[in-house]
Amino acid sequence: MYLNIQKEIGSSLIKQIYEQVRSMIIKGELKAHERLSSTREMAINLNVSRNTVITAYEMLIAEGYIKSVPGSGIFISQGAEFAKPPERIIDYSVTAFSAKELSEDIIGFHSGTPALDLFPRNKWSRIAGQVIKEAPDSAFGYDYPQGRPELRNTLAAYLKKTRGINICPEQIIVTTGAKQGLSLVAKLLLQPGSEALIEDPSNENVKKIFLFHTDRITPIEADSEGIRPELFPQDRSPALVFVTPSHQFPLGGVLSIQRRLDLIRYAGKTGCYIVEDDYDSEFRYRGLPISSLQELDNERVIYIGTFSKTLFPSVRLGYIVLPDSLVEQCSELKRLMDHHTNSLNQLTLMRFIENGELERHIRRMKKIYRKRRNSLIECINEYFPGKVRIMGETAGMHIVAEFTDVEFSPKLMKSIEGVGLKIFPVEEHAVIKGKHRHQIILGYAHLNNTDIRNGILRLKEVLD
Amino acid sequence: MYLNIQKEIGSSLIKQIYEQVRSMIIKGELKAHERLSSTREMAINLNVSRNTVITAYEMLIAEGYIKSVPGSGIFISQGAEFAKPPERIIDYSVTAFSAKELSEDIIGFHSGTPALDLFPRNKWSRIAGQVIKEAPDSAFGYDYPQGRPELRNTLAAYLKKTRGINICPEQIIVTTGAKQGLSLVAKLLLQPGSEALIEDPSNENVKKIFLFHTDRITPIEADSEGIRPELFPQDRSPALVFVTPSHQFPLGGVLSIQRRLDLIRYAGKTGCYIVEDDYDSEFRYRGLPISSLQELDNERVIYIGTFSKTLFPSVRLGYIVLPDSLVEQCSELKRLMDHHTNSLNQLTLMRFIENGELERHIRRMKKIYRKRRNSLIECINEYFPGKVRIMGETAGMHIVAEFTDVEFSPKLMKSIEGVGLKIFPVEEHAVIKGKHRHQIILGYAHLNNTDIRNGILRLKEVLD
């Protein structure tokens, strides 16, 4: 029996013996009941220590490839031969497959992407480093599914201060972003046959997430003031109503107090829950953020928040605020989904809020985003005078532009992509098609003035 | 109309005006159609700038509380009155509700918790800090649902080197731990009516996660060599078989090559997938880690890995290795579950592996865990001579102790808890009850020799 053993530094002799013998057995080159060299013989043949051979043999015995018959020797076991498919040849060089950065020549008006280059990395880095060094051991182990108590305390106080939301820390579940928040809420409230009312248009992912649990999704038209409660079905008992009351996505409307109260009365009457997705209300350009629906009803409203916009998307931190009665069940769902959210990230966020850095960053970005928004609106008015109605500009990180005489057909979208421009038709987010063909979403928060101007210029070139 | 405005530093005048007027409207103190003071009057009354009042009024108008009738004045809107429930009084002081650390007087033989106090925090902190400063902007934005390509490259090479797993980086999906991996796989493979075969006993969470999708869960007995393929149903087509072949949880057996091949032939015959949960194979105390099932069949085996044991649990990083044909669908499930795993954590892990720190840490912990395991077995043999059979001691972070004459009934478990000791009966993880009453799981990785000795001493006191 021939083994090819390399005695270079860093190559394990045990591993080489184990793998070569194992390979010969699997391929059938060593047959069942055949006798294997004794550990002594093998050690002498290979000029390695006998312990090395013993360890390799023990591994082969543990996995059933060979067996030791006392007083008789070591033999190949039965049933270990296996015709494997030929191995694939794989290139593991790290450089060969590196992250594709967005081509610099494409201007993308994505909604919901903050200005990544303006995030205070050094501050975040310093705090994250401190947290890793100073956190209690418990923050390294399996942690509370609901999230670190310290962070939930801080969040409750922060929400009270900035949004007028009056809740106990025990009502909060820390999530890995709003999408996980929505996944959890869907799992909590929807079963096959449940009815979900959703704003139409609304983020297409909402519908996709709900469809995992039920196919009874009823679109309710949203206009420039948000969802229209007078269209709610009066004869049925839906499980939930999904809304974005502070800044309707994508149309941008603010839900009026009258509609809010209608919504809450409807929830009270039918026993359904209201799912309030508050994705970007921090960035309101006149006055303060709109107050939340949650504040009006602590029993029927589930509030979903995120730090993807106020910090950065890849941080994957968000939260849900739940009525007391749903907290325990939702925590268990979170536990079974991913146990809990990374604790060190949670504690970094906590300190970032406690130090005032989060509010400082939001204030700074609000000024910058306002300028970018103004610049975008100016460009549109300059290049398309009198032909575009702007919607949803009071808050957030995108506007909707409605063109009087342009229909954003798939064919037109292709031409637009052809000039290195990415814009997003509202129609893509609509459940009932055909009502939003003249409208596009233009996210601006991550674009500087030059990009904004060049982007709108490219659009003009295509439309002319 | 009386507003109580505080002009201290840090209190927003706009917010005070807005909130007080809003509150009066909601409570019905200001009635519909009532006329509100003009912005001029209000500014003079409160001795604030007119712009402040204008902004506050604009917010109230945007939310529908008041409306401006040109040429006539500003009026309270109809339908904004709402009897709110009394506010809860909440204590937000951060200190009041801090993390409960485990009481020092309890000795807990939890399985799967590494030695948190021995993790090289400073190294992790340094690398994490560097990554935050040096990562490309794209690592701060919405990122690839599958995980950062750089990390997947590194993982593929690492798995090849340490586990003999020969896969493309494109087959990997980075998850927030093994539990999310299992949730994704369950969602991918199970529908109502699907049959899932699981090892019995096995981690009780596996069953709970599968039950979200199907109630047809068939336990297959595992013995000291792992699952018994001769018990598989031959007349049906299950969707998956769940196994822990490297170190059966909790019994600790290594699945022999013959059973592995039976399993793979069964999967080939019935068209089902094998879900291989490899939760702690890095810590094998003789020789090298057991080879994976994945290596034997790249089409039928889904491999779930985690860094909870090799790094620390709260880092929430793991991965799934999938056959090519399932990657796209599973990525979409991950995208809709939480978009992607925190990118900066992913890049920190990548550098920790590339620098050799991970292997260095595993080598160091292996030595320590081996000593702790030996110490635990010695204590058991010393205090319970001839009365305990030890199982599953060749690898991992726990052993199973089978007592010849003790039945770990709920009543006994209560007495054990009464002396400040936490141990975990195997019976709790069994689907078919009654076969494991004499067995307990003893996790030792996080316990020093004193704790181990005191813990076993306490057990002896209760059992005597």
Side-chain angles (χ1 to χ4, degrees), chain A residues 15 63 88 139 161 171 314, chain B residues 15 88 139 161 171 314:
Chain A
K15 189 175 173 184
E63 298 182 42
R88 298 204 268 179
K161 182 182 171 196
Q171 289 178 259
S314 86
Chain B
K15 188 176 174 184
R88 299 204 267 179
K161 182 182 171 196
Q171 290 177 258
S314 84

Side-chain angles (χ1 to χ4, degrees), chain B residues 139 198 228 275 432:
Chain B
I198 64 172
R228 295 177 55 194
V275 180
I432 293 173

Side-chain angles (χ1 to χ4, degrees), chain B residues 275-326:
Chain B
V275 180
E276 173 178 24
D277 183 4
D278 187 11
Y279 63 102
D280 68 1
S281 71
E282 291 87 351
F283 300 107
R284 193 173 188 209
Y285 302 117
R286 282 290 282 185
L288 307 160
I290 300 282
S291 28
S292 69
L293 262 176
Q294 201 285 333
E295 190 205 348
L296 295 173
D297 192 333
N298 199 28
E299 299 302 319
R300 291 274 135 215
V301 179
I302 296 170
Y303 178 94
I304 298 178
T306 177
F307 291 96
S308 294
K309 276 71 178 178
T310 47
L311 295 173
F312 52 94
S314 84
V315 75
R316 303 282 81 215
L317 285 170
Y319 54 94
I320 321 175
V321 176
L322 291 156
D324 293 323
S325 55
L326 295 177

